[in-house]
Amino acid sequence: MGLRAKFNISILAAFLIGLGLVAAFTWKVIRDNARIEVIHEARLIAAEAAAIRRYTVVEVRPLLANQSRTRFLPHTVPAFAAATTQRDFTAAFPDYTYKEAALNPTNPANRATAVEKAIIDDLRREGAPDTVITTRDSPTGPILSISRPLRIESKDCLTCHSTPAAAPVAMVDVYGPDNGFGWTLNEVIGAQIVSVPMQVALNRANDTFFQFIGGASLIFAGVLALLNLLLHFVVIRPIRAMSELASAISTGDLSGDEFPAKGKDEIASLAQSFNRMRRSLVSAMKLLDS
Ligand code: HEC
């Protein structure tokens, strides 16, 4: 195997192993970052919904208190406010959804699906975590959901959610006596579930990954080409010329020119020694002839 092949094979092998390790590491970091970014988006939406809930209780409910006595106004209900504003948000950003899913909801639109029921059951367990993060596949790509328990922490909630008799009559007229009752204090009755599509972030992560790997490969190809040029002009060509001269001399042909030995590198010093050896050989031959 020639010098060029040895040199190229070793450098290529080192590069491929290095690139493989860097690619595996980068892939993991970039994908993890995409997930962190999506989780952050979901937390923003959850915080926005929480703000809307608070606004409803603090700002809207007191203003509508008088009217609520004669007519039930769902606009005073935080769950209604959050769900209504989020519907507009989802119209602008499909796949981004916010749901207050309940096992026994007042509004049937909030009834938990099978997947949501599994999440709620998980959150109802003794010692369950405060947040559950799940991912599922959808036709538009994976969807990440962050779920937090909806716990009845105040007795005020039970006015409307314990028994139909305790609830405002106007509310029971609208929602009926069958749903959204029987909740108890400290019970987890559902989950606040924010779902965010991951595909956009994953696509961006893939693009970044391939740009990085493509860039690294291009730089490597450039460096390899430069090293090959150097190898050719600085090492292989002079050695080949010297080797041809040496074989000519070995067959008794001393007619060739001196080898050009400019420079101070190892090849130049080899050429100088070679020229000296050749000169000594020529003088020795002359002595023998005379
Ligand atoms: C004045 C009555 C009233 C009070 C007080 C009230 N709710 Fe509700 N709640 C409702 C109504 C009505 C709905 C259905 C709203 C809709 O149409 O989306 C609802 C819906 C919900 C939902 C969505 C799931 C479902 O049942 O449709 C949750 C969760 C909820 N309430 C939790 C609470 C909590 C927690 C409290 C106490 C902080 C509370 N509610 C206090 C009337 C009330």
Side-chain angles (χ1 to χ4, degrees):
M1 196 190 293
L3 258 186
R4 201 191 307 272
K6 270 188 198 151
F7 180 82
N8 276 304
I9 288 173
S10 343
I11 293 211
L12 198 66
F15 170 73
L16 287 179
I17 293 170
L19 188 73
L21 291 174
V22 170
F25 178 71
T26 316
W27 179 252
K28 184 165 161 30
V29 170
I30 289 181
R31 300 285 286 203
D32 284 355
N33 280 347
R35 191 178 152 83
I36 291 170
E37 190 185 315
V38 173
I39 291 177
H40 182 66
E41 275 184 1
R43 287 199 198 282
L44 282 181
I45 295 175
E48 186 66 39
I52 292 166
R53 282 181 132 268
R54 254 191 315 279
Y55 178 82
T56 315
V57 175
V58 178
E59 308 285 342
V60 180
R61 188 177 280 174
L63 291 177
L64 296 179
N66 278 341
Q67 293 182 48
S68 295
R69 283 196 199 102
T70 49
R71 186 161 69 99
F72 182 73
L73 295 169
H75 314 82
T76 61
V77 175
F80 178 85
T84 310
T85 47
Q86 290 297 327
R87 256 199 304 280
D88 272 0
F89 179 76
T90 299
F93 294 94
D95 289 342
Y96 287 76
T97 57
Y98 171 86
K99 185 169 173 187
E100 295 190 6
L103 297 176
N104 170 24
T106 323
N107 183 340
N110 297 329
R111 188 171 299 284
T113 61
V115 176
E116 290 163 352
K117 189 176 173 304
I119 294 174
I120 297 171
D121 286 343
D122 205 18
L123 290 169
R124 279 165 72 90
R125 273 186 303 115
E126 192 71 31
D130 191 43
T131 308
V132 170
I133 298 179
T134 47
T135 43
R136 69 189 152 83
D137 284 328
S138 85
T140 51
I143 307 260
L144 179 139
S145 299
I146 289 198
S147 311
R148 296 170 70 85
L150 278 168
R151 192 186 300 277
I152 303 302
E153 281 165 347
S154 150
K155 281 206 290 293
D156 294 346
C157 313
L158 299 179
T159 327
C160 297
H161 291 298
S162 59
T163 61
V169 178
M171 174 188 144
V172 183
D173 285 348
V174 178
Y175 290 90
D178 301 325
N179 306 309
F181 297 111
W183 298 2
T184 54
L185 202 61
N186 285 325
E187 183 188 0
V188 172
I189 53 91
Q192 208 172 18
I193 303 177
V194 179
S195 300
V196 174
M198 295 186 80
Q199 202 55 52
V200 180
L202 289 181
N203 287 349
R204 223 174 12 236
N206 289 354
D207 287 352
T208 312
F209 177 76
F210 288 115
Q211 278 161 8
F212 174 76
I213 296 297
S217 304
L218 265 181
I219 293 174
F220 170 75
V223 170
L224 193 65
L226 189 70
L227 285 176
N228 265 293
L229 279 177
L230 273 176
L231 188 70
H232 179 76
F233 287 108
V234 177
V235 181
I236 295 182
R237 208 165 70 159
I239 286 189
R240 199 175 280 157
M242 262 185 273
S243 142
E244 274 161 18
L245 207 61
S247 24
I249 293 172
S250 71
T251 55
D253 174 8
L254 292 171
S255 64
D257 291 333
E258 287 247 316
F259 195 80
K262 275 187 254 114
K264 286 200 168 85
D265 62 12
E266 290 79 353
I267 297 285
S269 125
L270 174 67
Q272 282 151 12
S273 318
F274 187 82
N275 284 340
R276 259 196 317 275
M277 191 178 79
R278 181 171 169 277
R279 260 179 258 134
S280 315
L281 197 68
V282 171
S283 339
M285 296 296 270
K286 274 199 190 126
L287 271 180
L288 276 181
D289 284 352
S290 55

